[in-house]
Amino acid sequence: MIDFAGLPYYEDVSPGSGALPPRAWTSTSDARRLSLNGTWRFRLSPTATTEDESFARPEFDDHGWDELPVPGHWVLQGHGAPAYTNTLYPFPVDPPRVPTENPTGDHRIAFDLPGDWPAAASGGDALLRFEGVESCARVWLNGQELGVFQGSRLPHEFSVGGLLRPEGNVLAVRVHQWSAGSYLEDQDQWWLPGIFRDVTLLHRPEGAVRDFFVHASYDHRDGSGTLRVDSEPGGRVTLPGLGIDIATGETVTLPVEPWSAELPRLYEGELVTEGERIPLRIGFRTVVVEDGVLKVNGRRILFRGVNRHEFHPETGRTVDLSTMRQDLLLMKQHNINAVRNSHYPPHPAFLSLCDELGLWVIDECDLETHGFVDLGWRDNPVDDDRWIPALLDRAERMVERDKNHPSIVLWSLGNECGTGRGLTAMAHWIRGRDTSRPIHYEGDPSCTDTDIYSRMYPEHAEVDLIGRRAEAPLDDPELDAHRRALPFILCEYAHAMGNGPGGLSEYQRLFETHARCQGGFVWEWIDHGIAHPEHGHGYGGDFGEELHDGNFVCDGLLFPDRTPSPGLTEYKKVVEPVRIEGDGPAGTLRITNTHDFADLSHLAFVWSYEIEGLTVADGPLSVPPVAPGESAELKLPEPPATDRAGEALWTVRAVLGQETPWAKAGHEIAWAQLPADTRGQVSRPRTAPAARPQRGPAGSGTLALGPGVFDAASGALTRIGGIPVTGPRLDVWRAPTDNDNGAPWQPDRRYGLIWRELGLHRMRHRLDGVEPTDEALTVRTRVAPAATDLGLRADYRWTADGDRLHLAVSVTPEGAWSCPLPRLGVRLGLPAAYGRAEWYGGGPGEAYPDTRAASRIGLWSSTVDALQTPYVRPQENGARADVRWARLKDEHGSGLRIDGEPAFWFTARRWTTEQLDAAGHTPDLRAGDTVWLNLDHAQHGIGTQSCGPGALPQHHLDAGPAEFSFTFSLAR
Ligand code: GAL
């Protein structure tokens, strides 16, 4: 065991020195404050070994130094480079020692006090507050050392009243990238040193509030709220909306409207002490674990959550207020009701926004020691008494700062730090300080210290077992009984890396079936792709790291620029808080309110009746204000009279009746489509073979069949009407998605690798026969990779009827296929001019077998370019589901129409699948002279095995006999 004595302060495991005890944060008060954000002076040294502290002296000349905006991370500001690892410590593991190569940033700012800054003679103090510095800081004001601290995403304050001068103050901060604290901050994210959150000078008048604690509970049995505000020093609390005017420490109970994520009722008021007035925004709510279920205000809640790291593609974990708000608006607009602060307390302003807009929050401590897992957790700091003070310091700083937010319903001890005494000490301290919130931690399966059973990435089947409280028992019967009685959440599930995640609907069904399963938090909110001059958005390895985890850092529901990915659209649909079901032909409708608190009075319902995607009639639907958990049975209107033939659908939508703080009136919350009648069919062209294959002009080597021209020798179609084409021919390859590639710990599911090893990306097409008959042209082939006896017999049977050319494909596998196929269909190339697509089928966005909940049947159009989903690492994307027909048109509106029987998966792009597969970043993809179409009979599911279970068996594309057909005609 290492001797911890005598190490430099940045290798000290103690919580540091000089900082004041933590306290509640408040965004405003009438006490004066001065932001020290702005342009600082900066000097970077490669090591931390310098003894030279002269820069801390006010008279030091820093004119030769660079300028640096604070807050920020110097590695994103032209000094050094960011580095990404998932669990690996990017330095030798020898706690608490860190490398000699310890980039050290010296920061300086000179400032004057504003003219109205209270004079020292008026009493009081001033505090210097740092909201976040990664990873260790040593601070001087006017040459006087204030202290040192670690705990990157936690606040630290120093008392500086006695040191301030009206003019010419100099604040000097030495920041080390690595410290003992780095061992506690091994979260899966970029390593980004710097003063990355606000620095503020706070005046503290005599009699100002040192700390305050709002206790505001709600009793659902009688609708009363109980309020007590503790404050040091004491004062008065007023809440005019409730007529409250009480002394601090005094308790009052009265009727109130409760706070919930759905109805975030806040009461505004004030805490007034002798020296300060602090605005209050109080939400009354009570969180308990009761009958094995997590309840708020007496009701079981269901988390429709996401994990959120602080991230911005240009500024890293320095995130401004408008970006925070944008995150929350996007969440609310996508039916998300919960956020886990993975894996550290966020900027404090984020929590105030959660209070205001209504999100359930898990506030997680800045603690992860995941890199010890590969060492068998040897020397894990959370199981070493010497680190306990540092762990307690972190727990205290989180709880004290954030305790007054009604949105926080669970405290989380940290993430992925194994098990140990340190965690128990933290839980014990938290329970002693705040009894109003249960405790979460995922990493200890025994749940010794927690009130919630939490897991990440279990399979659906296991969630089902846990839901029934029938999970595999723990060895210790007492712990087993304890855990079995706990509510269950998935603090992480559905890994949103690249295309996906698949399987969301099936999870949601489990959450809605078992009371114990109280939802989960998709991993994660946003791709952490950093702006890169060449790559667009860079990931691990793009900044010269010697050790990195590639694009595992791009696994969010938003692209780095905060554009929603198809995964977010899917999640919105899957978690919609209203279920619309019915029987179209019978004209019945059932509306179920799956909110936890809100009735449906805030929603307006509308119906439309569509034939082949064209709205024939629409109107409002009167729905009673169904209570949460209840359903209403309704009648659909009479189907409108129409001459139009074709597939008829009802679309019923629930939209916001009025504007809310997070969306406009009319914003869609939920929807469903129901077949309108059993008669309506898609009007498909029927081709009765009418033409017969004809030899082309002598010497041309061609065959003609209706509008099709074929190469007589190979049987390959070369033109339809006047349009030159390549293919169609059988295609099974897709550019493996991150989920196809899977995670190293599940080798048998890494289909992307298995497919490649099998050679599915280099299939050979052997021609076995070109057989023109009176009725048809049949081309027989065998499609197979080298070095194996596996293959697919593929017969193409061409017939024509006037202007239409019909292709029937029949596929018969040969050999013992032991893995699913990526896709099964045909690939067809058209000239680049055919750059506009229209289709009738699923849209508007991408869908795959297990990511198709949000795909709705309609008439859609898009450019081929806009059909692409720009995953940071390019991979298979862009399929549209259930396509009955598609048209590819040039700028004059003419082109090719393709009808499928049965409906097909439609993909179109300006590069080949092989080029897509070879690309490392989106700018690598360059449009060629062909628009490539994939018309797929089937696709393999997506799953979430980049870090979780694979596609469910029902979404596997197993090799088997298949028949499918397409009709080609010219479109105008
Ligand atoms: C979890 C971890 C997250 C992230 C995720 C995979 O194990 O808690 O921080 O690494 O896996 O992206």
Side-chain angles (χ1 to χ4, degrees):
M1 192 187 277
I2 297 188
D3 182 2
F4 284 9
L7 297 173
Y9 64 91
Y10 50 86
E11 291 178 336
D12 190 345
V13 298
S14 77
S17 60
L20 296 167
R23 63 192 186 96
W25 182 81
T26 151
S27 60
T28 53
S29 93
D30 67 342
R32 198 72 179 77
R33 48 179 81 187
L34 175 68
S35 169
L36 297 178
N37 294 349
T39 304
W40 291 40
R41 290 281 179 174
F42 178 74
R43 170 184 72 184
L44 185 65
S45 312
T47 68
T49 48
T50 175
E51 298 281 307
D52 178 13
E53 291 158 17
S54 59
F55 84 104
R57 293 206 302 270
E59 62 278 14
F60 180 87
D61 181 4
D62 62 15
H63 281 94
W65 288 21
D66 288 321
E67 293 192 328
L68 188 87
V70 168
H73 304 279
W74 71 70
V75 289
L76 300 182
Q77 296 168 315
H79 304 272
Y84 166 59
T85 58
N86 169 11
T87 62
L88 303 172
Y89 288 103
F91 47 76
V93 180
D94 185 22
R97 307 295 310 275
V98 296
T100 303
E101 296 97 337
N102 187 357
T104 294
D106 289 334
H107 299 68
R108 292 181 102 247
I109 186 173
F111 63 93
D112 299 336
L113 294 179
D116 59 348
W117 192 267
S122 68
D125 191 7
L127 305 185
L128 183 61
R129 181 174 173 95
F130 295 89
E131 297 293 351
V133 181
E134 181 165 329
S135 83
C136 173
R138 187 169 172 199
V139 188
W140 294 262
L141 182 66
N142 295 335
Q144 175 77 41
E145 181 168 353
L146 303 177
V148 298
F149 64 89
Q150 299 171 14
S152 299
R153 299 104 199 177
L154 292 163
H156 294 84
E157 288 179 328
F158 297 94
S159 162
V160 296
L163 297 172
L164 285 175
R165 315 164 177 162
E167 286 178 359
N169 295 285
V170 176
L171 173 60
V173 187
R174 173 163 282 176
V175 179
H176 305 292
Q177 171 153 18
W178 308 120
S179 68
S182 304
Y183 284 97
L184 305 181
E185 295 170 8
D186 190 27
Q187 293 95 344
D188 173 5
Q189 59 179 349
W190 295 96
W191 297 95
L192 298 175
I195 303 175
F196 73 99
R197 286 188 192 153
D198 311 308
V199 184
T200 319
L201 187 69
L202 302 163
H203 183 248
R204 307 309 297 143
E206 199 84 59
V209 176
R210 200 208 68 76
D211 189 18
F212 69 108
F213 198 164
V214 174
H215 307 272
S217 60
Y218 179 73
D219 187 337
H220 66 281
R221 290 163 305 185
D222 60 6
S224 69
T226 296
L227 176 69
R228 191 186 82 231
V229 178
D230 295 332
S231 169
E232 185 203 327
R236 287 206 77 75
V237 174
T238 51
L239 258 62
L242 287 172
I244 290 179
D245 183 349
I246 53 172
T248 56
E250 195 181 317
T251 300
V252 60
T253 298
L254 73 181
V256 298
E257 289 170 37
W259 186 97
S260 70
E262 289 168 11
L263 303 166
R265 179 69 165 101
L266 291 174
Y267 290 95
E268 311 226 329
E270 233 182 10
L271 164 62
V272 183
T273 65
E274 211 170 297
E276 193 177 20
R277 311 177 83 88
I278 291 183
L280 299 175
R281 291 197 310 174
I282 292 178
F284 292 86
R285 91 278 178 283
T286 293
V287 188
V288 292
V289 171
E290 193 179 73
D291 307 325
V293 173
L294 178 70
K295 294 182 183 170
V296 179
N297 302 337
R299 301 186 72 102
R300 167 189 185 258
I301 59 167
L302 186 60
F303 291 126
R304 302 165 163 99
V306 289
N307 280 279
R308 176 182 179 271
H309 267 290
E310 293 183 304
F311 185 74
H312 187 282
E314 261 110 36
T315 56
R317 285 187 283 279
T318 300
V319 177
D320 63 18
L321 248 185
S322 75
T323 306
M324 293 177 211
R325 182 177 278 277
Q326 190 189 356
D327 277 352
L328 288 171
L329 296 185
L330 279 168
M331 288 180 196
K332 293 290 286 187
Q333 289 162 5
H334 287 86
N335 292 333
I336 288 166
N337 72 359
V339 56
R340 171 175 177 234
N341 297 327
S342 54
H343 303 295
Y344 43 81
H347 188 288
F350 180 77
L351 296 167
S352 303
L353 289 171
C354 291
D355 295 343
E356 180 185 311
L357 294 167
L359 272 298
W360 308 119
V361 176
I362 301 183
D363 202 15
E364 190 151 275
C365 199
D366 189 4
L367 177 61
E368 173 159 343
T369 63
H370 205 173
F372 286 87
V373 69
D374 295 327
L375 313 172
W377 295 108
R378 205 166 49 249
D379 293 332
N380 181 9
V382 309
D383 201 24
D384 182 331
D385 288 343
R386 294 172 299 179
W387 291 82
I388 288 181
L391 302 187
L392 287 177
D393 183 62
R394 284 170 188 252
E396 287 170 32
R397 286 185 189 280
M398 168 180 74
V399 170
E400 296 299 1
R401 190 195 73 167
D402 295 344
K403 58 186 180 273
N404 293 328
H405 291 284
S407 55
I408 298 176
V409 290
L410 297 174
W411 297 119
S412 177
L413 302 178
N415 186 56
E416 297 185 317
C417 2
T419 58
R421 289 161 280 169
L423 293 167
T424 306
M426 290 168 81
H428 183 76
W429 183 87
I430 294 175
R431 288 208 171 89
R433 178 64 175 144
D434 178 25
T435 50
S436 76
R437 296 168 177 103
I439 291 182
H440 169 272
Y441 173 63
E442 183 273 346
D444 181 356
S446 74
C447 296
T448 309
D449 300 312
T450 67
D451 304 306
I452 302 280
Y453 180 24
S454 174
R455 291 279 302 279
M456 40 176 88
Y457 311 110
E459 309 224 342
H460 297 79
E462 192 184 1
V463 173
D464 189 34
L465 278 180
I466 296 172
R468 298 171 199 278
R469 299 191 199 267
E471 66 269 28
L474 291 167
D475 291 343
D476 179 328
E478 214 172 298
L479 282 176
D480 185 63
H482 161 71
R483 191 179 75 175
R484 208 172 290 276
L486 297 180
F488 178 70
I489 64 166
L490 293 170
C491 69
E492 292 178 31
Y493 79 117
H495 197 245
M497 185 179 183
N499 187 335
L504 285 170
S505 301
E506 290 86 352
Y507 277 116
Q508 196 63 21
R509 228 161 284 146
L510 293 166
F511 304 158
E512 288 173 4
T513 304
H514 302 302
R516 189 189 191 190
C517 296
Q518 298 194 255
F521 297 78
V522 165
W523 187 267
E524 67 176 303
W525 178 237
I526 183 167
D527 286 341
H528 309 208
I530 291 187
H532 188 285
E534 185 188 332
H535 296 318
H537 289 114
Y539 46 77
D542 290 338
F543 296 91
E545 304 104 297
E546 61 179 20
L547 209 64
H548 65 82
D549 288 291
N551 69 318
F552 202 63
V553 78
C554 292
D555 50 4
L557 294 172
L558 296 182
F559 293 113
D561 66 0
R562 289 192 153 70
T563 316
S565 80
L568 183 56
T569 311
E570 176 78 358
Y571 195 40
K572 173 184 179 181
K573 174 72 177 115
V574 167
V575 298
E576 59 189 11
V578 180
R579 205 162 46 231
I580 303 168
E581 299 153 308
D583 181 336
T588 57
L589 200 61
R590 164 190 285 240
I591 309 274
T592 305
N593 178 3
T594 61
H595 287 91
D596 297 324
F597 297 94
D599 69 21
L600 295 187
S601 56
H602 64 295
L603 298 178
F605 287 77
V606 287
W607 61 268
S608 64
Y609 186 89
E610 294 136 29
I611 296 186
E612 292 227 354
L614 293 172
T615 300
V616 174
D618 55 17
L621 188 76
S622 160
V623 175
V626 182
E630 304 289 320
S631 299
E633 308 286 343
L634 304 173
K635 290 297 268 177
L636 282 163
E638 279 301 309
T642 169
D643 298 339
R644 202 177 272 280
E647 183 181 31
L649 293 173
W650 293 103
T651 300
V652 178
R653 304 161 61 232
V655 302
L656 287 179
Q658 267 137 34
E659 182 166 353
T660 66
W662 45 270
K664 296 211 167 22
H667 170 83
E668 187 175 276
I669 299 291
W671 61 273
Q673 284 185 315
L674 309 169
D677 60 46
T678 43
R679 292 162 295 143
Q681 293 296 332
V682 188
S683 47
R684 292 185 202 281
R686 297 277 159 213
T687 39
R692 55 171 54 190
Q694 313 270 352
R695 293 238 155 252
S700 68
T702 60
L703 276 177
L705 177 63
V709 180
F710 295 81
D711 179 89
S714 66
L717 180 69
T718 58
R719 301 183 94 78
I720 304 176
I723 305 175
V725 299
T726 313
R729 67 176 195 171
L730 197 77
D731 193 12
V732 296
W733 181 239
R734 73 181 185 195
T737 64
D738 293 316
N739 284 312
D740 288 338
N741 287 335
W745 57 90
Q746 307 184 89
D748 56 331
R749 289 198 191 142
R750 307 193 74 181
Y751 290 128
L753 281 58
I754 293 168
W755 292 333
R756 204 182 293 279
E757 200 169 315
L758 205 56
L760 299 190
H761 59 309
R762 45 172 170 75
M763 298 291 264
R764 292 289 176 260
H765 296 246
R766 187 183 74 204
L767 182 63
D768 289 346
V770 179
E771 298 163 10
T773 63
D774 274 1
E775 287 206 325
L777 170 67
T778 302
V779 180
R780 300 193 191 284
T781 67
R782 186 175 187 280
V783 183
T788 152
D789 62 355
L790 299 177
L792 300 164
R793 286 214 169 268
D795 292 348
Y796 308 82
R797 185 169 189 274
W798 292 97
T799 51
D801 161 18
D803 293 342
R804 295 186 295 242
L805 186 63
H806 183 76
L807 167 66
V809 184
S810 104
V811 180
T812 316
E814 292 183 341
W817 286 85
S818 58
C819 67
L821 295 172
R823 66 166 7 120
L824 184 68
V826 295
R827 194 196 297 195
L828 172 67
L830 297 181
Y834 296 97
R836 295 205 61 83
E838 293 169 1
W839 71 99
Y840 173 52
E846 163 183 306
Y848 287 82
D850 52 352
T851 63
R852 60 187 292 171
S855 169
R856 74 178 92 183
I857 302 301
L859 201 51
W860 308 105
S861 68
S862 164
T863 60
V864 168
D865 299 315
L867 288 174
Q868 315 310 308
T869 308
Y871 294 113
V872 175
R873 186 192 72 81
Q875 53 197 278
E876 191 66 37
N877 72 83
R880 269 49 180 189
D882 295 315
V883 175
R884 280 77 160 151
W885 58 257
R887 281 195 287 246
L888 272 296
K889 292 187 165 182
D890 63 15
E891 57 180 3
H892 309 297
S894 56
L896 185 69
R897 170 171 166 142
I898 304 153
D899 288 77
E901 177 73 62
F904 59 101
W905 302 88
F906 169 62
T907 308
R909 49 186 167 234
R910 293 189 176 277
W911 33 81
T912 61
T913 307
E914 291 71 19
Q915 288 163 337
L916 181 62
D917 185 17
H921 297 84
T922 43
D924 300 347
L925 293 166
R926 305 254 155 74
D929 59 6
T930 306
V931 168
W932 291 102
L933 309 183
N934 272 97
L935 314 174
D936 289 316
H937 176 57
Q939 280 269 358
H940 182 60
I942 295 294
T944 180
Q945 67 264 38
S946 52
C947 186
L952 286 164
Q954 62 268 35
H955 303 304
H956 276 224
L957 168 50
D958 293 321
E963 315 247 328
F964 47 95
S965 67
F966 303 101
T967 301
F968 302 95
S969 54
L970 292 188
R972 269 177 242 296

